[in-house]
Amino acid sequence: MTSERFEQPVSTVLDEFTNLFLAEYPVHCELRTGPLGRKALHHHDGYEIYLCLRGTGSYIVEENLYPLHAGTLTIIAPHVLHHPFSKPGQDFDRYVLSVSDSYLNRLDQSCPAMKEGIGSLLTGGVSGSHYFLPAPQFEQARLLLEELSASLASTQPWRELSMLRCMSELALLIIRKHEEPLAQREIISPDERLIGDVVAYLVAAYRDELHIDDLLRKFPVSRSRLFRLFKETTGYSIKRFLNEYRLNKAKGLLAQTSLPMIDVAGQTGFGDLSHFFHQFRTSTGMTPMSYRRQAALGRTQG
């Protein structure tokens, strides 16, 4: 069996749209209907709370893969890479709530006994959390998000009180859900569990030189079935996912550190410098040095 390197160029995204509306107002909630567009792994400021109303799909949140279907509730911490997916052409309805750190910090001040902070409790203290809501909880969450969306669009002077009530009740629902036994929180098929394990493996080992044969030795599945399941579940080929994840990590190192380029390439799994430069430029249209200069300029102007 021949080995294949994971080398396909891809694009990566900082979700400036979410960042802009959270900068204008700390809470944003909307009902989105219809198929999901093709969206790269991305990250943004603030917490995201994602309630699936109709349709099926999956959600990659860092090293985790969560199934999406009516009744699933997914919470994602700020600046965490994530990617929702549903099959093209499929009806897919969901509420998407974005909340800034500053808003949750204000709520924390009203609850000094909650030393961990509401944000940490919402995500279980990690990159994200995911739950299946039985019918009564699902309807409660749906109504709260519906009311929250209406309150945000209102011009009534009491809209802030309505928002506060909705946010408080939703936070309590999630925190209580987290206290339930794990078996009651999620429903996941064997195929979803397999691909979730593959995603976790790729994320844990992205710094290494990986080959398809590494996965075939690790997981008891044929090459063709692995490729098909991964694509059907995530919307990505395995190569595309790994390269996109590596590029996001490289962008973070370029923007936040002064590491030499050869170290950035080595720490993100690209190996030799020429390969890293080629992949980066193909994806972004600029060299890694240009990206670093642009990021530094953005920090200065900000």
Side-chain angles (χ1 to χ4, degrees):
M1 185 180 295
T2 59
S3 294
E4 301 173 42
R5 286 190 64 182
F6 300 94
E7 294 185 345
Q8 185 172 336
V10 291
S11 61
T12 54
V13 177
L14 170 65
D15 189 348
E16 294 286 8
F17 179 72
T18 299
N19 287 351
L20 283 172
F21 63 61
L22 283 181
E24 292 176 2
Y25 196 77
V27 180
H28 182 86
C29 182
E30 67 174 309
L31 174 65
R32 299 178 186 173
T33 60
L36 283 166
R38 175 68 179 93
K39 197 167 189 179
L41 274 168
H42 61 284
H43 61 94
H44 49 66
D45 300 335
Y47 291 81
E48 180 169 297
I49 298 174
Y50 199 96
L51 179 68
C52 183
L53 305 178
R54 181 174 65 150
T56 59
S58 63
Y59 215 141
I60 294 173
V61 181
E62 275 292 346
E63 73 278 12
N64 300 300
L65 180 113
Y66 300 127
L68 294 177
H69 51 82
T72 57
L73 183 69
T74 310
I75 303 94
I76 303 159
H79 313 299
V80 167
L81 290 174
H82 56 282
H83 161 72
F85 169 75
S86 67
K87 291 182 179 178
Q90 179 189 101
D91 288 332
F92 192 80
D93 300 345
R94 64 275 186 201
Y95 270 107
V96 182
L97 168 62
S98 302
V99 186
S100 72
D101 292 288
S102 62
Y103 189 84
L104 290 186
N105 288 339
R106 284 162 51 194
L107 295 186
D108 285 340
Q109 293 172 12
S110 302
C111 308
M114 296 173 60
K115 294 184 171 36
E116 302 95 329
I118 293 173
S120 180
L121 290 172
L122 292 179
T123 61
V126 290
S127 58
S129 55
H130 179 79
Y131 308 101
F132 171 69
L133 304 182
Q137 293 178 335
F138 175 45
E139 184 64 5
Q140 180 189 5
R142 187 192 68 78
L143 289 173
L144 286 170
L145 290 168
E146 180 180 58
E147 183 176 342
L148 181 58
S149 181
S151 297
L152 285 163
S154 172
T155 57
Q156 295 290 341
W158 41 259
R159 79 169 190 152
E160 293 280 354
L161 281 175
S162 177
M163 286 172 50
L164 181 60
R165 184 187 69 80
C166 292
M167 285 297 306
S168 298
E169 290 192 22
L170 185 63
L172 280 172
L173 186 156
I174 295 169
I175 291 167
R176 287 168 178 160
K177 195 71 184 171
H178 183 69
E179 294 173 350
E180 293 180 357
L182 185 60
Q184 296 179 27
R185 295 189 220 156
E186 60 181 22
I187 298 175
I188 186 167
S189 72
D191 286 348
E192 288 167 336
R193 190 171 301 282
L194 168 66
I195 299 306
D197 290 343
V198 173
V199 168
Y201 176 78
L202 293 173
V203 168
Y206 77 93
R207 297 178 180 87
D208 304 328
E209 182 177 348
L210 294 173
H211 301 83
I212 292 296
D213 287 350
D214 297 328
L215 295 179
L216 297 177
R217 283 190 293 270
K218 177 80 174 172
F219 300 100
V221 63
S222 70
R223 176 188 295 258
S224 59
R225 187 164 184 267
L226 176 61
F227 284 8
R228 177 178 59 80
L229 284 176
F230 198 93
K231 180 73 172 181
E232 288 178 353
T233 305
T234 69
Y236 283 104
S237 69
I238 295 174
K239 292 180 179 181
R240 189 180 182 94
F241 170 76
L242 185 59
N243 275 275
E244 190 161 314
Y245 191 86
R246 284 170 167 167
L247 283 168
N248 268 291
K249 292 300 183 180
K251 285 183 175 182
L253 290 177
L254 290 169
Q256 298 162 18
T257 75
S258 58
L259 280 173
M261 292 296 161
I262 192 168
D263 291 341
V264 174
Q267 290 189 25
T268 53
F270 285 105
D272 65 89
L273 204 54
S274 63
H275 176 57
F276 172 53
F277 272 53
H278 172 73
Q279 293 281 46
F280 198 93
R281 186 158 194 165
T282 301
S283 170
T284 65
M286 64 178 73
T287 66
M289 293 86 77
S290 297
Y291 183 88
R292 174 170 274 171
R293 286 194 294 268
Q294 188 179 84
L297 180 62
R299 288 196 301 271
T300 302
Q301 292 176 342

PDB file of all heavy atoms in Angstrom, residues 16 23 45 293-302:
ATOM      1  N   GLU A  16     -14.576  37.846  10.448  1.00  0.00           N
ATOM      2  CA  GLU A  16     -14.661  39.274  10.741  1.00  0.00           C
ATOM      3  C   GLU A  16     -16.101  39.733  10.868  1.00  0.00           C
ATOM      4  O   GLU A  16     -16.394  40.701  11.573  1.00  0.00           O
ATOM      5  CB  GLU A  16     -13.948  40.080   9.645  1.00  0.00           C
ATOM      6  CG  GLU A  16     -12.442  39.857   9.587  1.00  0.00           C
ATOM      7  CD  GLU A  16     -11.709  40.549  10.724  1.00  0.00           C
ATOM      8  OE1 GLU A  16     -12.370  41.065  11.635  1.00  0.00           O
ATOM      9  OE2 GLU A  16     -10.466  40.553  10.704  1.00  0.00           O
ATOM     10  N   ALA A  23     -18.607  43.763  18.096  1.00  0.00           N
ATOM     11  CA  ALA A  23     -17.983  45.024  18.487  1.00  0.00           C
ATOM     12  C   ALA A  23     -19.039  46.127  18.583  1.00  0.00           C
ATOM     13  O   ALA A  23     -18.940  47.033  19.414  1.00  0.00           O
ATOM     14  CB  ALA A  23     -16.908  45.411  17.484  1.00  0.00           C
ATOM     15  N   ASP A  45     -14.267  36.199  17.850  1.00  0.00           N
ATOM     16  CA  ASP A  45     -14.439  36.618  19.235  1.00  0.00           C
ATOM     17  C   ASP A  45     -15.782  36.093  19.750  1.00  0.00           C
ATOM     18  O   ASP A  45     -16.692  35.784  18.976  1.00  0.00           O
ATOM     19  CB  ASP A  45     -14.428  38.147  19.343  1.00  0.00           C
ATOM     20  CG  ASP A  45     -13.124  38.755  18.854  1.00  0.00           C
ATOM     21  OD1 ASP A  45     -12.097  38.051  18.880  1.00  0.00           O
ATOM     22  OD2 ASP A  45     -13.135  39.937  18.445  1.00  0.00           O
ATOM     23  N   ARG A 293       3.432  40.847   8.792  1.00  0.00           N
ATOM     24  CA  ARG A 293       3.463  42.327   8.774  1.00  0.00           C
ATOM     25  C   ARG A 293       2.042  42.891   8.831  1.00  0.00           C
ATOM     26  O   ARG A 293       1.785  43.867   9.555  1.00  0.00           O
ATOM     27  CB  ARG A 293       4.184  42.834   7.531  1.00  0.00           C
ATOM     28  CG  ARG A 293       5.691  42.658   7.579  1.00  0.00           C
ATOM     29  CD  ARG A 293       6.384  43.474   6.496  1.00  0.00           C
ATOM     30  NE  ARG A 293       6.043  42.983   5.173  1.00  0.00           N
ATOM     31  CZ  ARG A 293       6.755  42.068   4.511  1.00  0.00           C
ATOM     32  NH1 ARG A 293       7.829  41.533   5.063  1.00  0.00           N
ATOM     33  NH2 ARG A 293       6.398  41.693   3.296  1.00  0.00           N
ATOM     34  N   GLN A 294       1.134  42.296   8.089  1.00  0.00           N
ATOM     35  CA  GLN A 294      -0.262  42.753   8.090  1.00  0.00           C
ATOM     36  C   GLN A 294      -0.895  42.592   9.462  1.00  0.00           C
ATOM     37  O   GLN A 294      -1.626  43.469   9.944  1.00  0.00           O
ATOM     38  CB  GLN A 294      -1.054  41.987   7.035  1.00  0.00           C
ATOM     39  CG  GLN A 294      -2.460  42.521   6.822  1.00  0.00           C
ATOM     40  CD  GLN A 294      -3.195  41.722   5.746  1.00  0.00           C
ATOM     41  OE1 GLN A 294      -3.771  40.683   6.018  1.00  0.00           O
ATOM     42  NE2 GLN A 294      -3.147  42.227   4.529  1.00  0.00           N
ATOM     43  N   ALA A 295      -0.622  41.462  10.121  1.00  0.00           N
ATOM     44  CA  ALA A 295      -1.168  41.239  11.467  1.00  0.00           C
ATOM     45  C   ALA A 295      -0.612  42.245  12.456  1.00  0.00           C
ATOM     46  O   ALA A 295      -1.341  42.766  13.318  1.00  0.00           O
ATOM     47  CB  ALA A 295      -0.859  39.806  11.918  1.00  0.00           C
ATOM     48  N   ALA A 296       0.672  42.545  12.353  1.00  0.00           N
ATOM     49  CA  ALA A 296       1.284  43.520  13.249  1.00  0.00           C
ATOM     50  C   ALA A 296       0.705  44.906  13.020  1.00  0.00           C
ATOM     51  O   ALA A 296       0.447  45.661  13.967  1.00  0.00           O
ATOM     52  CB  ALA A 296       2.801  43.545  13.039  1.00  0.00           C
ATOM     53  N   LEU A 297       0.457  45.251  11.756  1.00  0.00           N
ATOM     54  CA  LEU A 297      -0.133  46.555  11.436  1.00  0.00           C
ATOM     55  C   LEU A 297      -1.549  46.655  11.996  1.00  0.00           C
ATOM     56  O   LEU A 297      -1.954  47.682  12.531  1.00  0.00           O
ATOM     57  CB  LEU A 297      -0.153  46.744   9.917  1.00  0.00           C
ATOM     58  CG  LEU A 297      -0.733  48.072   9.400  1.00  0.00           C
ATOM     59  CD1 LEU A 297       0.110  49.241   9.905  1.00  0.00           C
ATOM     60  CD2 LEU A 297      -0.778  48.071   7.880  1.00  0.00           C
ATOM     61  N   GLY A 298      -2.304  45.551  11.901  1.00  0.00           N
ATOM     62  CA  GLY A 298      -3.657  45.544  12.441  1.00  0.00           C
ATOM     63  C   GLY A 298      -3.668  45.761  13.948  1.00  0.00           C
ATOM     64  O   GLY A 298      -4.513  46.470  14.478  1.00  0.00           O
ATOM     65  N   ARG A 299      -2.697  45.148  14.656  1.00  0.00           N
ATOM     66  CA  ARG A 299      -2.623  45.358  16.112  1.00  0.00           C
ATOM     67  C   ARG A 299      -2.294  46.797  16.440  1.00  0.00           C
ATOM     68  O   ARG A 299      -2.840  47.378  17.388  1.00  0.00           O
ATOM     69  CB  ARG A 299      -1.561  44.429  16.717  1.00  0.00           C
ATOM     70  CG  ARG A 299      -1.953  42.965  16.754  1.00  0.00           C
ATOM     71  CD  ARG A 299      -1.049  42.187  17.695  1.00  0.00           C
ATOM     72  NE  ARG A 299       0.334  42.281  17.298  1.00  0.00           N
ATOM     73  CZ  ARG A 299       0.939  41.454  16.451  1.00  0.00           C
ATOM     74  NH1 ARG A 299       0.248  40.472  15.891  1.00  0.00           N
ATOM     75  NH2 ARG A 299       2.229  41.577  16.165  1.00  0.00           N
ATOM     76  N   THR A 300      -1.399  47.414  15.647  1.00  0.00           N
ATOM     77  CA  THR A 300      -1.015  48.807  15.894  1.00  0.00           C
ATOM     78  C   THR A 300      -2.193  49.748  15.671  1.00  0.00           C
ATOM     79  O   THR A 300      -2.458  50.646  16.476  1.00  0.00           O
ATOM     80  CB  THR A 300       0.142  49.210  14.951  1.00  0.00           C
ATOM     81  OG1 THR A 300       1.225  48.321  15.175  1.00  0.00           O
ATOM     82  CG2 THR A 300       0.577  50.622  15.231  1.00  0.00           C
ATOM     83  N   GLN A 301      -2.919  49.499  14.588  1.00  0.00           N
ATOM     84  CA  GLN A 301      -4.052  50.362  14.277  1.00  0.00           C
ATOM     85  C   GLN A 301      -5.217  50.152  15.244  1.00  0.00           C
ATOM     86  O   GLN A 301      -6.000  51.048  15.501  1.00  0.00           O
ATOM     87  CB  GLN A 301      -4.503  50.110  12.842  1.00  0.00           C
ATOM     88  CG  GLN A 301      -3.495  50.566  11.805  1.00  0.00           C
ATOM     89  CD  GLN A 301      -3.940  50.217  10.392  1.00  0.00           C
ATOM     90  OE1 GLN A 301      -4.805  49.385  10.169  1.00  0.00           O
ATOM     91  NE2 GLN A 301      -3.309  50.871   9.422  1.00  0.00           N
ATOM     92  N   GLY A 302      -5.311  48.908  15.747  1.00  0.00           N
ATOM     93  CA  GLY A 302      -6.395  48.613  16.694  1.00  0.00           C
ATOM     94  C   GLY A 302      -6.156  49.238  18.025  1.00  0.00           C
ATOM     95  O   GLY A 302      -7.073  49.428  18.795  1.00  0.00           O
TER      96      GLY A 302
END
